[in-house]
Amino acid sequence: MTQALLELATVSKTFSRGGFLSRERVEAVVDVSFRLDGDRAEIFSIIGESGSGKSTIARMILALQAPTAGHVRFRGRDLAELRAEDERTAFMAAVQPVFQNPFEAFNPLKRMDRYLFMTCRRFTGLHDEAEIHAAADAALQQVGLTLAEIRGRYPHELSGGQLQRVAIARALASNPSLLVADEPVSMVDASLRASIVALFRKLCDELGLSIVYITHDLATAYSISDRIIIMQKGRMVESGDARTVLADPKHPYSRKLKESVLEPLAPGETPMFAR
Amino acid sequence: MSAVPNTARLTTGRDTGPVVSARDLRAWYRLSMFGVVREVKAVDGVSFEIRSDEIYGLAGESSSGKSTLVKTIAGAIRPPLEIVGGEIAFNFMAGTDGLHRASGEVAGQVRWRHLSYVMQGSMSVLNPVRRVRASFADFAFRHMGLDRAGFEAAVVSHLARVNLEASVLDAYPHELSGGMRQRVTIALATICRPNFVIADEPTTALDVVVQKEVLGMFRGIQREMGSSVLFVTHDMGVHAHLTDRLGIMYAGRLVEEARTRDLFARPRHPYTRHLIESLPRIGDDKLRRGLEGSPPSLADPPDGCRFHPRCSFATERCRREVPAMTPVGLDHRVACFERDRVEASQ
């Protein structure tokens, strides 16, 4: 077996809240295991309702939070053992996040190009200004933008879809091998959503970039994923090939989730809430 | 107050006239900075009617002007927003000209009694430091004409319609789940049996399982009360399953309107068509393509049809002239010069 790109081995995360006397424990993630192969890029979707632990998994993969039990390994290295500065930097370059709300992800007083230049400078080892600009432009071209378009622009001058493209370009600037996208299209307008989702597929196929796609939207997950897992209350209730699982979900919760999706009607279908 | 009879619901009964009608409505934001006036034409010439006992859907993306349209209809006009032109009429305010021109006294009697709202953020409707019971008393008590005991009984029986027990009245909003809170706000908005309810993205913050439940209850209550509803959401899946008629907004204008079923079956505007086609479906392996470009800035919209820079059907005429809403079938209107070509290409 080749080395896994990412491996979660019986990972659990428990948060405790409350005071000294009345301590309440919340099991956000319970015994989750999965692995992404190192030699084949794929889009791996994590689906679940709010509070199902999807974002906690994302934070643990990004090493922003340590699991209470179990191990998260990236290329065989346990994230809990990443101590040295250069090791952490190399990890951050290889695993990059894209967050949900592009309007909150960027400082409104800071020009958009700065984020790209900063990422290039820190992670690619480039020092020459012209080289940095060329690298930023190359990253932007991957997402269908150019440096000339966003040079000197502030976040409020761009639409949600453009901002999210810049966020993805910024993540690509460090030449990562894994992208963790936590609800990346839920704040993006419907007419632009399809193009961002298609962009993920393109990046996976053309750059060989593996993507962990976290969403509650079954339809977009179906359209781009290779494999999915369905989470409920911190537990994995179903997993497998995306098409197979979503075409015929087995677990009662997965079924309920699929039945609740409101899709445009096919001819002859009746609306769920007709007059 | 003769303009606002309290028995409007009884007297209108099977009224066939529209409950709400807007004609050539223009609501702009006018900002004056250092003597330079900047106009944002958020609602620019919108006409439509909402009939009695129907859910009228309004779809559009961010910055399409739908929130401004909702504010204008609800009479929540604050500078820099101004109503520059057009008219709004409500059948329950006969002889008056919309809420925005009504006196404070009349508006106070109409709001909640005849016109109420369900908002996206239930937390910003319910007072976070008071029990749910207090919110009901604040919003509805003075409109109901009941004594304390009678009011409490009415609230409890109304809560049962959204499957909530009387015990939620003693809860603080943060103790309830998002779905329960949104059901409380729906109960709150409908307890006075209003003629007209504005629902602005009421289920967008809920996850799919809860959303389905809440939408089912919403339709149930609407059916029972016979209220008219303006239901705003960008989610075309929700529109497909809930609304009776649907209007599509783009860059401050209504571009198409039809019975929901007809609109999905035979969209005539290229933008509507794109909205429907870009929706991914489970079981459909075709990868969806997004629309190129972005919605225009409403401070400086393009001339002619505002969709022309993103439209593959655009001609020279579309760049110069503004297409008017034109009937193309029963209850179906579209604002597109190339509507026949759009339809022929499906």
Side-chain angles (χ1 to χ4, degrees), chain B residues 24 46 106 109 114 199 229 279 309 336:
Chain B
D24 198 25
V46 170
V106 173
Q109 289 188 15
H114 296 278
V229 176
L279 293 166
C336 180

Side-chain angles (χ1 to χ4, degrees), chain B residues 49-159:
Chain B
E49 289 178 352
I50 301 175
R51 298 168 189 164
S52 88
D53 195 14
E54 77 165 348
I55 300 187
Y56 183 92
L58 193 63
E61 304 176 282
S62 46
S63 80
S64 63
K66 47 187 204 319
S67 301
T68 310
L69 184 61
V70 164
K71 280 186 202 163
T72 310
I73 292 169
I77 311 291
R78 291 206 172 66
L81 180 60
E82 268 178 62
I83 297 192
V84 180
E87 279 154 36
I88 314 166
F90 298 110
N91 75 344
F92 47 86
M93 287 180 77
T96 63
D97 186 16
L99 261 177
H100 59 287
R101 294 209 181 91
S103 68
E105 192 192 352
V106 173
Q109 289 188 15
V110 168
R111 289 218 171 97
W112 228 260
R113 173 73 190 80
H114 296 278
L115 183 160
S116 68
Y117 332 93
V118 184
M119 303 290 180
Q120 177 172 3
S122 50
M123 260 327 220
S124 49
V125 175
L126 302 170
N127 188 333
V129 295
R130 301 184 74 198
R131 295 179 198 277
V132 170
R133 176 178 282 106
S135 291
F136 273 94
D138 288 347
F139 279 94
F141 183 69
R142 68 196 184 98
H143 294 293
M144 302 274 287
L146 298 166
D147 59 18
R148 285 277 161 196
F151 177 68
E152 173 99 8
V155 170
V156 169
S157 73
H158 191 66
L159 282 173

Side-chain angles (χ1 to χ4, degrees), chain A residues 158-267:
Chain A
L158 302 177
S159 73
Q162 284 173 318
L163 284 177
Q164 201 59 299
R165 278 172 190 275
V166 177
I168 296 167
R170 188 214 57 78
L172 295 178
S174 69
N175 297 319
S177 37
L178 179 65
L179 210 61
V180 180
D182 190 357
E183 300 266 10
V185 292
S186 62
M187 299 296 290
V188 174
D189 280 326
S191 74
L192 307 167
R193 201 172 286 177
S195 56
I196 299 234
V197 168
L199 172 63
F200 283 130
R201 191 67 252 176
K202 188 191 106 176
L203 294 174
C204 178
D205 294 342
E206 290 176 10
L207 299 184
L209 180 64
S210 283
I211 297 169
V212 175
Y213 175 60
I214 296 176
T215 185
H216 61 259
D217 180 2
L218 266 65
T220 56
Y222 179 90
S223 75
I224 61 163
S225 313
D226 298 302
R227 284 192 298 152
I228 63 163
I229 59 173
I230 296 177
M231 306 266 311
Q232 183 194 23
K233 293 178 182 150
R235 285 164 212 272
M236 235 165 85
V237 296
E238 195 157 350
S239 66
D241 172 72
R243 305 283 146 119
T244 319
V245 170
L246 289 175
D248 183 22
K250 298 281 186 280
H251 190 275
Y253 175 73
S254 320
R255 281 195 197 151
K256 198 171 169 191
L257 209 56
K258 189 186 169 188
E259 281 163 15
S260 303
V261 175
L262 301 176
E263 290 187 324
L265 304 169

